[in-house]
Amino acid sequence: NAGVMQNPRHLVRRRGQEARLRCSPMKGHSHVYWYRQLPEEGLKFMVYLQKENIIDESGMPKERFSAEFPKEGPSILRIQQVVRGDSAAYFCASSPPGTEGNIQYFGAGTRLSVL
Amino acid sequence: AQRVTQPEKLLSVFKGAPVELKCNYSYSGSPELFWYVQYSRQRLQLLLRHISRESIKGFTADLNKGETSFHLKKPFAQEEDSAMYYCALSPHGSSNTGKLIFGQGTTLQVKP
């Protein structure tokens, strides 16, 4: 099992461009979470998805940010019209269904830099 | 408000010394608490969770509901313990999945 795969590892965008971050969960995992880590801070929850459903988006900024986890393919975190304040590390985690669902397995992260 | 606080940004100890990384939480319900660790150039990984009551790599953590704390302890630190440690809370308890609320993290530096 390759673990949670995130790509790209590093992404550079200019202000106003779009950023797409991808996350493939571990095999057999049906829950995906996205977290953001700003410099010198801990991880902050953004969104929790299951296949084709957003379960909890309480941590998502109201504008410019969206997330999806389609029936086929990876989960995508999309940031439109990026600004310098979006520069951060974005981590994806996945968890299995059932009683072990509270254990989250993390990807290596995508470091977004906005110029 | 749901919050996890790790008061120390950096904890530096000598090899063989006891270690205690502090974690306090604020939550009105019945939380599940975790410690995650990130070694240099590796991804964040689960170290232990309070419901398991396990000792992992010599580390233990006891949930103290009266003091709302979940401090991580190890009697004799090793150099390979040097890493970033995050305390995290799951507000949904052990019966549901959901978001984790993380503390700011503590860097543990074990000197030879």
Side-chain angles (χ1 to χ4, degrees):
Chain A
N1 200 328
V4 178
M5 302 301 292
Q6 289 188 250
N7 67 81
R9 289 295 308 279
H10 301 276
L11 183 59
V12 179
R13 284 288 176 265
R14 296 190 180 280
R15 279 178 296 168
Q17 290 184 319
E18 179 180 285
R20 280 187 181 236
L21 289 65
R22 293 175 189 78
C23 169
S24 295
M26 285 179 70
K27 191 175 180 181
H29 287 194
S30 54
H31 306 265
V32 165
Y33 311 81
W34 285 94
Y35 295 85
R36 176 166 64 175
Q37 186 176 33
L38 296 170
E40 305 295 318
E41 292 187 18
L43 282 76
K44 294 280 195 293
F45 168 79
M46 299 181 76
V47 63
Y48 161 38
L49 310 104
Q50 294 180 19
K51 285 283 186 184
E52 300 184 281
N53 282 306
I54 296 174
I55 307 302
D56 180 356
E57 56 181 347
S58 57
M60 287 280 267
K62 295 285 182 251
E63 296 176 348
R64 302 188 297 109
F65 284 72
S66 62
E68 62 176 8
F69 187 18
K71 191 175 179 182
E72 301 290 339
S75 175
I76 306 284
L77 179 67
R78 184 180 175 207
I79 312 172
Q80 294 178 288
Q81 299 175 320
V82 296
V83 300
R84 288 228 173 98
D86 296 333
S87 295
Y90 291 83
F91 291 93
C92 171
S94 71
S95 67
T99 56
E100 291 301 305
N102 260 0
I103 299 177
Q104 295 184 19
Y105 297 82
F106 282 80
T110 293
R111 296 202 177 276
L112 173 64
S113 297
V114 180
L115 305 180
Chain B
Q2 302 162 355
R3 186 179 296 133
V4 175
T5 303
Q6 294 179 248
E8 302 140 328
K9 207 168 179 180
L10 171 66
L11 183 62
S12 187
V13 301
F14 285 102
K15 177 182 169 183
V19 169
E20 182 178 67
L21 288 86
K22 291 185 168 49
C23 172
N24 288 91
Y25 67 91
S26 162
Y27 181 64
S28 56
S30 181
E32 184 170 5
L33 275 296
F34 304 82
W35 277 98
Y36 277 82
V37 61
Q38 188 171 27
Y39 300 103
S40 178
R41 298 192 188 88
Q42 293 187 29
R43 59 188 64 191
L44 197 63
Q45 57 187 282
L46 178 68
L47 180 62
L48 54 79
R49 56 198 293 212
H50 89 269
I51 63 169
S52 302
R53 296 187 165 274
E54 293 174 301
S55 172
I56 306 292
K57 298 186 180 184
F59 284 98
T60 58
D62 290 316
L63 179 61
N64 185 323
K65 291 187 178 179
E67 296 183 359
T68 59
S69 68
F70 188 55
H71 303 326
L72 184 68
K73 299 177 184 178
K74 184 168 182 176
F76 308 103
Q78 303 298 315
E79 288 181 71
E80 55 266 29
D81 296 328
S82 296
M84 177 73 102
Y85 291 79
Y86 292 96
C87 182
L89 175 154
S90 172
H92 300 275
S94 58
S95 59
N96 292 301
T97 61
K99 65 184 177 187
L100 290 174
I101 297 168
F102 282 88
Q104 304 92 314
T106 299
T107 299
L108 174 64
Q109 187 182 73
V110 182
K111 296 179 284 191

